[in-house]
């Protein structure tokens, strides 16, 4: 199955952005409006992911998010992988926040 993919610059500002990285990665830096469900928890928490609208899935570089997007698509959701992940997000200077007192970084 081919997973739909979009460049960071093409992620709509009002997108449902699902961050599937681990907790320590999330804490270090993430998109301000992203929803955090680690890949390891996605099966148990899939009902938290909306249906009926596109879900943009992001991780650090795009591997985990591609797997999660493929799985969500098999379930009938409309999931799109964010190419290059949060590394591309940071490189493109998209907004980021952290859960620490430090500037956000991609961990």
């Amino acid at each position: 199955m081919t997973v739909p993919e979009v460049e960071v610059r093409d992620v709509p500002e009002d997108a449902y952005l699902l961050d599937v990285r681990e907790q320590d990665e999330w804490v270090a830096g993430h998109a301000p409006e992203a929803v955090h469900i680690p890949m390891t928890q996605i099966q148990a928490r899939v009902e938290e992911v909306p249906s009926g609208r596109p879900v943009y899935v992001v991780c650090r570089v795009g591997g985990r998010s591609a797997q999660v997007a493929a799985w969500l698509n098999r379930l009938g959701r409309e999931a799109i992988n964010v190419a290059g992940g949060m590394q591309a997000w940071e490189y493109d200077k998209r907004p980021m926040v952290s859960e620490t007192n430090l500037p956000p970084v991609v961990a």
Side-chain angles (χ1 to χ4, degrees):
M1 168 185 264
T2 302
V3 177
E5 191 168 78
V6 67
E7 297 295 324
V8 165
R9 68 183 170 275
D10 297 325
V11 174
E13 286 189 30
D14 63 345
Y16 184 93
L17 184 63
L18 175 62
D19 191 322
V20 297
R21 296 176 300 149
E22 293 302 316
Q23 183 68 23
D24 61 323
E25 295 172 291
W26 169 263
V27 167
H30 58 86
E33 303 302 321
V35 175
H36 183 227
I37 303 176
M39 181 179 183
T40 56
Q41 298 176 17
I42 193 68
Q43 288 183 345
R45 297 176 59 189
V46 69
E47 293 306 317
E48 296 175 40
V49 179
S51 57
R53 71 178 286 197
V55 174
Y56 293 82
V57 188
V58 69
C59 66
R60 186 169 191 261
V61 295
R64 288 174 285 179
S65 55
Q67 292 176 46
V68 170
W71 183 74
L72 288 170
N73 285 328
R74 282 194 299 274
L75 294 180
R77 308 292 174 95
E78 184 183 351
I80 303 157
N81 187 44
V82 177
M86 287 304 296
Q87 283 186 338
W89 190 276
E90 182 178 50
Y91 181 81
D92 206 46
K93 299 185 180 0
R94 297 287 302 256
M96 287 178 51
V97 295
S98 76
E99 304 297 316
T100 68
N101 291 327
L102 301 172
V105 296
V106 176

